[in-house]
Amino acid sequence: MLAKNPSDTQESHLRAEHTSTFNDFSELLKKYSLYFFQSDFYWQVGEPNRNQGWILHLSVIQSQLRNLFYLIIPELIKRGIAFKVVKDMPTANNLLGGNLGYANLGKLITIYPNTDEEASEIAQKLICLTQDFKGPAIPTDAHLGSIVYARYGSFKSFAISKFDGSPAKLISAPDGRQLIDPYTIPFALANGISWPFKNIAPPESRARFKLLDGKYYPLQTIKSDPKGDVIKALYFKKPWKIEACIIKQGRAGMNANEKGKDMIDRLKWQFAIFQKLNKKIPVPKILSLFEDASSFYFAMEYVKGISLQKWLINAYHLSAWIDLPQATKIKLVELLLKVIEVVKKLHSYGYIHRDITPENFLLDKTGRLVLIDFELAWSIQTNYPLPPFGVGTPGFMSPEQIRGDTPTEKEDIYAIGSFMLSFFSNLLANKWNASSRVTLTNKLTDMIGDETLSRLITGCVDPLPKQRPTLDSVSELLSDFRNKLVVNCAVSPQAKIIEVEDNCDLQHMIEMAVNGLANPTILNSKGCWLSKLTNTANEIVTEQVGMKIIPGWYKGLAGPLWVLTIAQKVQININSCLDIYNRNLELVREIALNQDEPSFGLFQGSAGRALAIAERLSSNVIDDVFFDEGHLLSSLSSWSKDLSLAEGISGQGLALLSLEKCCKSPKIHNLLQVYTTNILREQEKAGYWKTTPPGALFDFHHGNIGIIWFLLAYLNRYADAPVKLAVQKAIEWLIEKTLTKTGTIKKSIANSNTNKIGIVLCLIHSYQVLKEDKFKRLAEINLHAIPERMVSSDFTLQTGLSAFGHLFLDAYEVFNDEQWKIRADWILKILSLTFQNYTPASGFWVVEQSNIITADLFEGVSGIIHFLLRCYKPHSVTHPLWPSGLSQ
């Protein structure tokens, strides 16, 4: 037995308490006198008596979770079965939303039967007990009935090495091999595994695509989402008439509110609104609403066109408002006026939309604007739904909508303000802090050059609903603005040039951002930085994702450690982060010492950790008690068979070049010679290196561009004739294969910002190292192809503004040309305008589309901080991938 069975009196007392709020479900387990321990997202009771077998999972909506616990736990205690329950209500919400990985979706209770026979027996019992419950389908499992699911898998975690240092689960295959437990989606019964549930359900796997409702044939999934996919399909209206259509899916149990209303209810509500508004406002023609398995589907006309968000991206093409052609500006304002007219009509028919965003409007080929989504809509006449369905899109939600207040028209006016914020700044609305009307007005005026327009926008996003203007007044002011544009006097010529203010306190902003690295929202309970989970092939990408500890440099703990060391080295006060710094450093040390099969790479392996520690040792500002030169050299003495920058010896070589400034051992040069010899041995006669996969040939991080980059850095330190010859051949091959006859990067390659930046960086440093004017000319051609005042909602060091900022600074330092410094200053300007506060002394940036903030170097705020540090002390800080200490 797991624990003594509660007495009748105790059980009655517990059931009487079931309406009380247990947000941490450990309190519930204590009531049953159970011993338990933490296991990932769960509290585990008991240990399974075998390593693998059939696992049962129960999925249930939030409002029924506590009742399910009180119903199921006594049954499991009686049987002495090991089980797990979700830790707390926030974790339950994340599991139900797919935010902790699609493979974990809906798994709130996990049961480990002692035998296959017991698995079948307890499954039948649970199905009977849970007939009145509902929950989302579990994608990795077979559905047995009610809310009961099953899969064959591992019962225990084993400490085997993964790139992130976390344990994995092993399973013994029928032939005796030890494999990582596969989470197959959809469920499929593996060969050699018997099905013990024959009396309950057949082991049917779910086909990905099938004919729906007898007349819809899915072609592709346009958007994958745990709550329901959006599918493009063929509609067989008649045998001789086939049309394209869009099908929205609502999965049972997903996004259920406290009243039990889930995505199916939302889909039915959307269908009802479309029926009422058809031909009254521009919406797609509805086809049908139907049920299939555990989901409902809403089929509608396929509107040929693009979203306003896509139109906006194409119109701006990474430029600023002040640089747009006048005709584009006029078109943009006219589209805004059309949006407002649609919203006004919607209000006149008694509905508040509550999710007015550029993504929810389509512009068809005739110029017609079509509103496509009513999932969150509210009826003024019927006060339905109550409570209102969910929340909207970050940056477009008013404070009262976030609170869950009764909807009013003012919510949509706030969203219109956010809409204008995106349209006139070319930045997602969540990039801006709208809490201070005066501050936001000044920032917008600084960026778009028109104070009247800025006041209109900030008035719409005023935190107080009563302070927001009416839609009629917004239309009137926008119409006046359009008329001024037509006569070409909306923006004065003097507003064309916007520079960073002389009094911009860059140091203060850096210190506030450094302080933000200690904010609890980006840390776990032990003060360690969290990173976003990486989606695998079976993952459905969600806007919000789960978080975990990763020890890497590119993404993980080592990157912020490296940046903080550089910050202190250039006299930035990091005292607020020292405790967090030391906790994360100790964890990196533990991972480095305890991994049996570490990755040797720069991005996620030992080379990246060595780079962070090398910076620490060279700074002479922090006493080190964990690492020494011998340990660092040891971590770089085992080299990868891979040649790439991210995972191979090119990245290890960059770490070694940085290590030289704190470690004068001759072993470093010896290792570098081994690395370069191996690289040169693998070079093809044409000048390139074969890559795995072959598609990575022109990849900066995983292909030839990164290899060339390392060899250039090596040549900048050491005179080496064979390496020089290899680089010359490689860079000529790169020019031939990636540039057009006019010298610009080919479109197929320029689609990747990472690779585009890598090519231009290689050209810049080829000029620096090889002294050939051709490389400078080609680099400048491609630098000029980038908008002079670049604007993007991607701020990352991976693909965004921070990466381009470093590119311009490299060009400035190598070419000694002030125009590239001016472009980097513009990016600094954008970052200063969009900096937001946690507290008066700390802050952050919304780095990408998601509101989730991380400390990561290439995907989080540390990368922005590093760019600012280089702007602050350009002679002390280099490009993050150019070994520090190398002369420019």
Side-chain angles (χ1 to χ4, degrees):
M1 301 292 288
L2 300 174
K4 65 178 183 179
N5 197 31
S7 65
D8 291 340
T9 302
Q10 182 186 7
E11 186 164 328
S12 299
H13 174 66
L14 288 170
R15 291 188 180 277
E17 272 190 342
H18 82 279
T19 55
S20 65
T21 301
F22 284 126
N23 282 321
D24 184 337
F25 297 119
S26 65
E27 297 300 318
L28 174 61
L29 296 177
K30 291 174 185 176
K31 296 286 185 181
Y32 282 105
S33 302
L34 292 170
Y35 170 76
F36 57 88
F37 56 92
Q38 184 174 337
S39 175
D40 296 325
F41 310 126
Y42 305 90
W43 300 119
Q44 180 165 327
V45 178
E47 286 281 3
N49 65 356
R50 52 183 178 158
N51 291 333
Q52 65 190 61
W54 283 96
I55 304 166
L56 301 179
H57 290 114
L58 303 186
S59 170
V60 68
I61 61 176
Q62 174 190 353
S63 60
Q64 295 180 327
L65 180 55
R66 293 185 181 90
N67 286 339
L68 181 65
F69 284 160
Y70 284 102
L71 182 67
I72 296 301
I73 290 176
E75 184 69 27
L76 299 177
I77 293 174
K78 290 175 186 177
R79 293 174 178 270
I81 297 176
F83 65 93
K84 296 192 300 189
V85 300
V86 64
K87 284 174 53 182
D88 49 40
M89 192 59 79
T91 306
N93 291 335
N94 281 319
L95 287 170
L96 290 170
N99 299 336
L100 298 177
Y102 190 47
N104 295 319
L105 174 64
K107 296 176 180 177
L108 300 186
I109 299 179
T110 303
I111 302 167
Y112 300 105
N114 297 307
T115 64
D116 287 359
E117 292 75 17
E118 186 177 51
S120 179
E121 180 186 344
I122 187 66
Q124 292 185 66
K125 177 70 173 178
L126 294 174
I127 290 170
C128 292
L129 288 173
T130 60
Q131 288 300 312
D132 295 330
F133 292 81
K134 66 178 182 178
I138 296 176
T140 60
D141 290 25
H143 185 211
L144 302 181
S146 183
I147 59 169
V148 183
Y149 295 80
R151 69 177 293 269
Y152 189 90
S154 174
F155 284 14
K156 301 178 180 180
S157 293
F158 296 86
I160 68 169
S161 175
K162 294 173 69 178
F163 85 93
D164 60 0
S166 64
K169 289 189 174 183
L170 292 180
I171 190 170
S172 296
D175 61 7
R177 290 179 299 148
Q178 292 288 301
L179 306 172
I180 292 180
D181 190 358
Y183 285 76
T184 306
I185 300 176
F187 170 82
L189 184 63
N191 292 332
I193 304 298
S194 62
W195 177 255
F197 309 106
K198 295 176 182 177
N199 296 331
I200 304 175
E204 295 179 353
S205 60
R206 299 184 290 277
R208 182 165 179 81
F209 284 150
K210 63 178 182 178
L211 197 63
L212 296 172
D213 201 33
K215 55 193 172 191
Y216 301 105
Y217 180 75
L219 295 174
Q220 68 177 113
T221 300
I222 296 175
K223 178 184 178 184
S224 292
D225 195 298
K227 67 183 183 180
D229 296 339
V230 178
I231 303 164
K232 185 178 181 182
L234 291 178
Y235 170 38
F236 293 90
K237 187 174 183 179
K238 294 178 181 179
W240 61 89
K241 189 171 184 180
I242 302 174
E243 299 176 354
C245 68
I246 293 294
I247 301 176
K248 289 187 174 184
Q249 177 191 29
R251 290 191 172 102
M254 291 301 302
N255 281 37
N257 62 21
E258 57 266 37
K259 298 292 186 180
K261 300 289 187 181
D262 61 8
M263 281 307 303
I264 290 178
D265 296 292
R266 294 192 187 197
L267 204 66
K268 291 177 179 178
W269 174 234
Q270 285 190 73
F271 183 76
I273 295 176
F274 270 91
Q275 283 183 310
K276 292 181 179 179
L277 295 179
N278 190 31
K279 296 183 180 179
K280 294 180 179 178
I281 65 172
V283 296
K285 182 175 67 176
I286 60 174
L287 300 177
S288 65
L289 179 73
F290 60 91
E291 183 179 8
D292 187 275
S294 60
S295 295
F296 267 71
Y297 296 85
F298 172 20
M300 68 182 76
E301 166 197 12
Y302 174 69
V303 178
K304 294 181 180 180
I306 61 172
S307 70
L308 279 190
Q309 183 63 42
K310 181 67 174 177
W311 181 89
L312 195 65
I313 291 170
N314 293 340
Y316 268 100
H317 195 61
L318 300 178
S319 297
W321 163 262
I322 56 177
D323 293 326
L324 289 180
Q326 205 73 355
T328 302
K329 292 179 179 179
I330 293 169
K331 176 68 174 177
L332 188 149
V333 177
E334 288 176 343
L335 284 172
L336 280 171
L337 288 168
K338 286 183 178 181
V339 167
I340 293 171
E341 286 306 307
V342 171
V343 176
K344 286 166 66 175
K345 282 187 178 180
L346 186 65
H347 289 176
S348 71
Y349 289 114
Y351 293 98
I352 299 164
H353 190 273
R354 304 181 68 243
D355 199 17
I356 299 293
T357 72
E359 285 288 354
N360 283 334
F361 284 88
L362 292 181
L363 188 65
D364 71 11
K365 292 183 178 180
T366 68
R368 183 177 67 126
L369 204 60
V370 181
L371 184 55
I372 61 171
D373 194 330
F374 288 94
E375 180 182 321
L376 304 182
W378 164 269
S379 171
I380 299 171
Q381 288 91 349
T382 64
N383 288 341
Y384 184 88
L386 194 65
F389 285 143
V391 292
T393 303
F396 291 83
M397 292 180 288
S398 65
E400 65 269 24
Q401 185 173 353
I402 295 172
R403 291 193 301 267
D405 296 353
T406 300
T408 69
E409 294 180 359
K410 295 296 186 179
E411 285 188 11
D412 284 351
I413 294 171
Y414 187 98
I416 291 292
S418 297
F419 212 112
M420 291 190 290
L421 198 56
S422 296
F423 260 53
F424 289 114
S425 73
N426 192 23
L427 292 170
L428 292 171
N430 63 344
K431 300 289 182 180
W432 299 93
N433 183 355
S435 60
S436 169
R437 187 165 176 172
V438 173
T439 301
L440 182 58
T441 299
N442 292 338
K443 288 182 175 182
L444 286 175
T445 303
D446 209 3
M447 185 170 182
I448 64 181
D450 189 276
E451 185 176 353
T452 302
L453 182 61
S454 299
R455 288 186 182 277
L456 173 63
I457 295 170
T458 55
C460 289
V461 296
D462 194 294
L464 298 175
K466 292 182 179 180
Q467 298 298 322
R468 297 171 202 156
T470 64
L471 287 180
D472 285 335
S473 62
V474 174
S475 293
E476 183 179 347
L477 286 169
L478 275 179
S479 296
D480 289 343
F481 186 70
R482 179 206 174 275
N483 294 336
K484 291 178 182 178
L485 287 172
V486 171
V487 297
N488 199 26
C489 65
V491 180
S492 63
Q494 290 78 9
K496 200 69 172 137
I497 303 299
I498 298 180
E499 299 179 353
V500 180
E501 307 93 347
D502 293 335
N503 63 351
C504 176
D505 191 350
L506 180 55
Q507 179 180 349
H508 179 63
M509 181 167 60
I510 295 172
E511 289 181 347
M512 289 185 67
V514 165
N515 294 344
L517 293 177
N519 191 278
T521 59
I522 64 172
L523 304 167
N524 71 0
S525 59
K526 296 182 179 179
C528 296
W529 291 302
L530 292 167
S531 299
K532 289 188 279 190
L533 285 173
T534 301
N535 291 298
T536 65
N538 283 333
E539 292 290 322
I540 285 181
V541 179
T542 56
E543 184 175 320
Q544 291 187 335
V545 294
M547 309 292 285
K548 69 187 300 183
I549 293 173
I550 297 174
W553 178 73
Y554 185 95
K555 176 179 181 177
L557 309 181
L561 290 173
W562 181 72
V563 169
L564 284 174
T565 304
I566 294 172
Q568 190 166 46
K569 185 177 178 180
V570 297
Q571 285 78 53
I572 295 294
N573 186 343
I574 69 165
N575 290 340
S576 64
C577 276
L578 281 180
D579 183 50
I580 300 299
Y581 181 104
N582 289 325
R583 291 184 200 181
N584 285 276
L585 181 67
E586 186 171 0
L587 182 56
V588 166
R589 173 180 176 270
E590 290 176 5
I591 293 170
L593 295 178
N594 295 331
Q595 273 193 303
D596 297 328
E597 299 174 5
S599 165
F600 304 127
L602 174 64
F603 282 13
Q604 295 302 144
S606 57
R609 293 192 293 272
L611 182 63
I613 303 307
E615 191 67 46
R616 173 183 169 90
L617 290 175
S618 69
S619 67
N620 296 318
V621 293
I622 307 174
D623 293 332
D624 195 279
V625 296
F626 295 138
F627 293 90
D628 56 28
E629 295 177 2
H631 175 271
L632 292 180
L633 283 173
S634 174
S635 68
L636 290 165
S637 295
S638 297
W639 52 86
S640 170
K641 294 181 180 179
D642 190 290
L643 302 181
S644 73
L645 188 67
E647 301 168 358
I649 57 178
S650 294
Q652 289 179 281
L654 289 179
L656 275 173
L657 287 169
S658 287
L659 185 57
E660 281 189 311
K661 65 181 179 180
C662 66
C663 177
K664 305 303 180 183
S665 171
K667 292 182 180 179
I668 293 181
H669 193 205
N670 293 339
L671 276 174
L672 284 167
Q673 288 180 319
V674 171
Y675 290 172
T676 55
T677 299
N678 286 345
I679 291 174
L680 267 55
R681 185 188 299 123
E682 298 294 325
Q683 190 176 25
E684 300 292 318
K685 289 184 179 180
Y688 70 97
W689 291 267
K690 293 180 179 179
T691 59
T692 304
L697 203 61
F698 304 115
D699 192 276
F700 186 20
H701 295 160
H702 300 279
N704 279 264
I705 302 173
I707 299 171
I708 296 169
W709 176 259
F710 161 63
L711 294 179
L712 285 167
Y714 176 81
L715 276 180
N716 198 49
R717 178 69 60 85
Y718 298 105
D720 190 312
V723 172
K724 183 177 181 180
L725 180 61
V727 168
Q728 288 173 324
K729 289 175 62 178
I731 197 71
E732 292 295 342
W733 170 85
L734 187 68
I735 290 170
E736 178 187 352
K737 297 297 182 182
T738 64
L739 303 187
T740 65
K741 291 181 179 180
T742 60
T744 58
I745 298 173
K746 294 178 180 177
K747 288 184 178 179
S748 59
I749 297 169
N751 287 335
S752 165
N753 278 350
T754 301
N755 298 347
K756 178 168 66 176
I757 291 169
I759 291 169
V760 182
L761 283 171
C762 281
L763 290 170
I764 291 170
H765 289 281
S766 292
Y767 171 76
Q768 176 191 5
V769 174
L770 301 176
K771 310 301 182 185
E772 293 187 28
D773 290 339
K774 174 177 69 173
F775 301 135
K776 178 182 179 182
R777 177 177 60 81
L778 291 172
E780 289 184 328
I781 287 173
N782 288 285
L783 287 166
H784 280 295
I786 302 168
E788 183 179 356
R789 280 170 284 268
M790 182 181 180
V791 181
S792 169
S793 289
D794 180 357
F795 290 179
T796 66
L797 188 53
Q798 176 176 291
T799 54
L801 291 183
S802 298
F804 281 94
H806 277 294
L807 173 65
F808 293 136
L809 288 178
D810 273 37
Y812 166 63
E813 291 170 4
V814 172
F815 300 155
N816 194 27
D817 189 335
E818 189 70 22
Q819 66 172 310
W820 309 122
K821 174 66 163 55
I822 292 172
R823 293 197 181 201
D825 284 347
W826 167 261
I827 290 175
L828 173 60
K829 171 82 172 183
I830 297 295
L831 295 172
S832 68
L833 291 176
T834 55
F835 186 69
Q836 302 188 40
N837 290 78
Y838 284 125
T839 69
S842 67
F844 66 101
W845 295 266
V846 177
V847 181
E848 297 180 282
Q849 184 171 2
S850 170
N851 273 1
I852 295 175
I853 311 301
T854 70
D856 293 324
L857 179 58
F858 276 78
E859 297 181 11
V861 295
S862 289
I864 302 176
I865 294 172
H866 185 270
F867 169 65
L868 299 185
L869 288 170
R870 190 173 179 193
C871 294
Y872 179 60
K873 294 288 185 180
H875 300 297
S876 302
V877 183
T878 62
H879 189 286
L881 288 171
W882 189 252
S884 52
L886 296 188
S887 60
Q888 288 276 53

